[in-house]
Amino acid sequence: MPPCRIAVIGLGEIGLNRHLPVIAAHPGFEIVASAKRHPVATAIGGVQYRDYREMLASEPAIEAVAICTPPDVRGRIALDVIAAGKHVLLEKPPFSTLGAFRQVRLAAERAGVTLLGGWHSQFNLAVERARDFLADQQVASLEMVWNEDVAVYHPDQEWIWQAGGFGVFDAGVNGISILTRILPDPLVVRAATLRIPDGAQTPIAVEIDFAGLREEDRLHAGMDWRTPTAERTIAIVTRSGHHLRMPNSGRRLEIDGTVLVDEANLEYPHIYDRFAELIAGGKSQLDEWPLVVVADAYLIGRTLPADAQGVPGVRTGG
Amino acid sequence: MPPCRIAVIGLGEIGLNRHLPVIAAHPGFEIVASAKRHPVATAIGGVQYRDYREMLASEPAIEAVAICTPPDVRGRIALDVIAAGKHVLLEKPPFSTLGAFRQVRLAAERAGVTLLGGWHSQFNLAVERARDFLADQQVASLEMVWNEDVAVYHPDQEWIWQAGGFGVFDAGVNGISILTRILPDPLVVRAATLRIPDGAQTPIAVEIDFAGLREEDRLHAGMDWRTPTAERTIAIVTRSGHHLRMPNSGRRLEIDGTVLVDEANLEYPHIYDRFAELIAGGKSQLDEWPLVVVADAYLIGRTLPADAQGVPGVRTGG
């Protein structure tokens, strides 16, 4: 089969450094064009357009599009791409509202095109192995820690503090997307606290308690952007006494002390493998559950103030 | 067919004054028992228990249960009722998280019992007529106004201002539940503002803009608990030029100036008619979309402070 002719919309950090090199190296895809409002220098982006609508109109050979813009405009762009009859791959989180999932899914079904929501952390081998192991288990305890120093990882992103910018959830939803993939039961938020810096609209630290099957089960997730050392780890104890540990953003899997998977970062190649499979099979994969968990934390979470002093991108009040 | 033996859990204002009289008058149901932590005087509640678990254990003849407690505990209770093999009717909003919808739906499917989420405002004849009319129409503009004076309608409800208490959404979600039922396309939040009184966790006033099919479409909902006069009205203009107006909480329907429906409040009898139908047919009806709209408003909405002076139930700071 000839490679699928693809275009990329949005060439920020992720589009430029994650998607383009993976597409260039993937036998199943061939880059045709890209769109970016402010032109950017790259030798592997195909014909570059400033307006994605012009790109869609000028390049009828395009069969699929990867949308790597910020989430708030992805819904609108996805509808235009689907209306042009192209398959769609979406960066994470696919959309910033749950309504957009429904609207875009419906449009893709009607148009008969493939949709893939690329929650990249779900595409680790360790995640699939953990999912298989947990399929017939019950979870007695869960601890997710997803901590970073925001000054190191998000120094110039003012948008993360604005309404719809997700704050610490922008990183933490990667861990949550692993949980919704590997756990055998729905992940139901029971209580949450969201610490929102003065002058920001989104949280810098979040704690979530999930409902377990029994009262005594303890399922907890903590995300904090005020920690000097980055840690992105999931630890699970099953009722039958097995201990799972997934450090390194879920790319390593230890069960009862034995290392079963310890992979380099192959998330994006795996995403494109899956995209090719889905297109060939005429199928779609679009999981809204990571965003449901975030939404539930907002719905019933208690908001508390946080000190904004020294947080980059937040304008502190007088 | 003999009437279905039903019990009610939660005898607050709604359980006592809406559910019990409707059950007592309905030929398809027969009250067996009720549960309320603090006993309450009623001649039509059957055997009264203080603990719903004791009720379930002591009254094996119960076939169905209506859960009328506040939303935050409904998920836990629903799982217990389903585990006991009973059909479940839920007051609105059925649950305070979207995760609970998934969890309880799954449990009901596995147990083979009927679930009905009783968004009462959806059970007006005017709503069904509007839905039929709009099925092949496109909406050019929408204006929902759902205003009340909180001091008149919610004077003693401190819980509405606490995390998960919904604030003005507690009333406004009734209007939203009509919209999600009658509109031919998914209701996607594009922008929102939430005004949260100092010392409260939930909004006293909300504005939502929804995404229309065209850029120039204006779809808007406003909810405000600071208005002296109550107004609960939906107005829609279709692209082909028809004007729909649904005043009186959606119980009246006018199309192009002609009154098509003007019904008394028959929502609860209609809910029990539907519950009987669903049980007989072995089916369920549980719509999470009204809560999805609320969740989306939280996810991307901008929060603004509001004056808490004179708002009952909010402890104003110094």
Side-chain angles (χ1 to χ4, degrees):
Chain A
M1 217 160 58
C4 174
R5 293 182 297 273
I6 195 167
V8 175
I9 298 176
L11 293 179
E13 152 71 18
I14 296 287
L16 201 58
N17 300 328
R18 299 286 179 181
H19 289 261
L20 287 188
V22 167
I23 293 169
H26 200 292
F29 293 92
E30 178 193 344
I31 189 90
V32 174
S34 54
K36 165 97 172 101
R37 203 164 298 175
H38 307 286
V40 58
T42 170
I44 54 172
V47 185
Q48 210 173 114
Y49 291 82
R50 297 185 72 158
D51 185 323
Y52 76 88
R53 292 182 197 87
E54 194 197 332
M55 179 188 80
L56 292 174
S58 308
E59 303 278 353
I62 295 171
E63 295 167 274
V65 173
I67 305 178
C68 309
T69 65
D72 59 333
V73 291
R74 264 182 226 143
R76 180 71 256 160
I77 296 173
L79 292 176
D80 288 338
V81 170
I82 290 167
K86 321 296 185 194
H87 306 295
V88 176
L89 189 161
L90 296 145
E91 246 303 319
K92 74 90 208 176
F95 309 107
S96 50
T97 65
L98 295 164
F101 277 86
R102 184 180 206 180
Q103 186 181 38
V104 175
R105 187 182 280 129
L106 205 62
E109 280 168 11
R110 285 178 184 159
V113 299
T114 287
L115 261 186
L116 171 58
W119 296 101
H120 58 77
S121 299
Q122 292 184 340
F123 287 83
N124 288 305
L125 181 58
V127 170
E128 282 314 290
R129 295 289 289 274
R131 176 185 168 89
D132 291 345
F133 184 83
L134 290 171
D136 60 357
Q137 299 282 319
Q138 293 190 318
V139 173
S141 83
L142 158 71
E143 182 66 50
M144 176 185 122
V145 178
W146 221 265
N147 292 346
E148 297 176 353
D149 182 349
V150 65
V152 173
Y153 290 92
H154 310 270
D156 303 314
Q157 297 176 332
E158 278 195 36
W159 62 270
I160 55 178
W161 302 114
Q162 287 156 19
F166 290 107
V168 72
F169 278 122
D170 181 67
V173 75
N174 294 328
I176 291 170
S177 75
I178 295 177
L179 296 182
T180 59
R181 181 86 190 140
I182 66 176
L183 295 180
D185 295 296
L187 197 58
V188 182
V189 176
R190 183 163 63 182
T193 56
L194 293 79
R195 285 175 201 276
I196 299 179
D198 203 30
Q201 289 277 331
T202 57
I204 193 165
V206 170
E207 306 261 342
I208 304 179
D209 283 312
F210 300 103
L213 293 176
R214 298 180 306 187
E215 281 296 323
E216 65 268 32
D217 296 340
R218 180 174 157 78
L219 284 68
H220 177 263
M223 293 149 246
D224 199 326
W225 267 358
R226 302 166 302 180
T227 45
T229 314
E231 184 185 355
R232 305 179 192 95
T233 299
I234 291 166
I236 291 171
V237 181
T238 68
R239 201 156 297 168
S240 55
H242 293 293
H243 287 66
L244 278 79
R245 240 188 118 245
M246 303 178 74
N248 193 17
S249 303
R251 291 199 275 272
R252 180 180 164 111
L253 172 65
E254 304 161 10
I255 299 185
D256 300 328
T258 303
V259 180
L260 296 184
V261 182
D262 193 4
E263 209 182 31
N265 186 347
L266 296 174
E267 295 161 357
Y268 283 88
H270 289 332
I271 287 175
Y272 279 88
D273 292 346
R274 182 80 185 127
F275 193 35
E277 258 177 50
L278 289 168
I279 291 172
K283 291 202 161 65
S284 285
Q285 176 179 329
L286 183 66
D287 178 9
E288 77 262 36
W289 282 93
L291 191 62
V292 166
V293 171
V294 177
D296 282 350
Y298 274 94
L299 276 174
I300 65 165
R302 190 152 173 257
T303 60
L304 295 169
D307 188 1
Q309 216 51 253
V311 177
V314 178
R315 265 162 290 175
T316 49
Chain B
M1 216 159 60
C4 173
R5 292 181 299 271
I6 195 168
V8 175
I9 297 176
L11 293 180
E13 152 72 18
I14 296 287
L16 201 59
N17 300 328
R18 299 285 180 180
H19 289 260
L20 286 189
V22 167
I23 293 169
H26 200 292
F29 294 92
E30 178 193 345
I31 189 91
V32 174
S34 54
K36 165 97 173 102
R37 204 164 298 175
H38 307 288
V40 57
T42 170
I44 55 173
V47 185
Q48 209 171 117
Y49 291 83
R50 295 185 73 158
D51 185 324
Y52 77 87
R53 292 181 196 86
E54 195 198 332
M55 180 187 80
L56 292 174
S58 308
E59 304 277 354
I62 294 170
E63 295 167 274
V65 173
I67 304 178
C68 309
T69 65
D72 59 333
V73 291
R74 263 182 226 143
R76 181 71 257 159
I77 296 173
L79 291 175
D80 288 338
V81 170
I82 290 167
K86 322 295 187 194
H87 306 296
V88 177
L89 188 161
L90 296 146
E91 245 303 319
K92 74 89 209 179
F95 310 106
S96 50
T97 65
L98 294 164
F101 277 87
R102 184 181 206 180
Q103 186 181 39
V104 175
R105 186 182 280 130
L106 205 62
E109 280 168 11
R110 284 179 184 158
V113 300
T114 287
L115 262 186
L116 172 57
W119 295 101
H120 57 78
S121 299
Q122 292 185 339
F123 287 83
N124 288 305
L125 182 58
V127 170
E128 282 313 291
R129 294 290 290 274
R131 177 184 168 87
D132 291 345
F133 184 83
L134 291 171
D136 59 357
Q137 299 282 319
Q138 293 191 318
V139 173
S141 83
L142 157 71
E143 180 67 50
M144 176 185 122
V145 178
W146 221 264
N147 292 348
E148 297 176 352
D149 182 348
V150 66
V152 172
Y153 289 93
H154 311 268
D156 303 315
Q157 298 176 330
E158 278 195 35
W159 63 270
I160 55 178
W161 301 115
Q162 287 157 18
F166 290 107
V168 71
F169 278 121
D170 180 66
V173 76
N174 294 328
I176 292 169
S177 75
I178 295 177
L179 296 183
T180 59
R181 181 86 190 138
I182 65 176
L183 294 179
D185 295 296
L187 197 58
V188 182
V189 176
R190 184 163 62 182
T193 57
L194 294 78
R195 286 174 200 274
I196 299 179
D198 204 28
Q201 289 278 331
T202 57
I204 193 166
V206 170
E207 305 261 343
I208 304 179
D209 283 312
F210 300 102
L213 293 177
R214 298 181 305 187
E215 282 296 323
E216 65 268 34
D217 296 340
R218 179 173 157 79
L219 285 68
H220 177 264
M223 294 149 246
D224 199 327
W225 267 358
R226 302 167 301 179
T227 44
T229 313
E231 183 185 355
R232 305 179 191 96
T233 298
I234 290 166
I236 291 171
V237 181
T238 69
R239 200 155 298 168
S240 55
H242 292 293
H243 287 66
L244 278 78
R245 240 188 118 244
M246 303 178 74
N248 193 18
S249 302
R251 291 198 276 271
R252 181 180 164 110
L253 172 64
E254 304 161 8
I255 299 186
D256 301 328
T258 304
V259 180
L260 297 183
V261 182
D262 194 3
E263 209 182 30
N265 186 345
L266 296 173
E267 295 161 356
Y268 283 88
H270 289 334
I271 287 175
Y272 278 87
D273 291 348
R274 182 80 184 126
F275 194 35
E277 257 176 50
L278 289 168
I279 292 171
K283 291 203 161 67
S284 286
Q285 176 178 329
L286 183 67
D287 178 9
E288 77 263 35
W289 283 93
L291 192 61
V292 166
V293 171
V294 177
D296 282 350
Y298 274 95
L299 276 174
I300 64 164
R302 191 153 172 254
T303 60
L304 295 169
D307 188 1
Q309 216 51 253
V311 178
V314 178
R315 266 162 291 175
T316 49

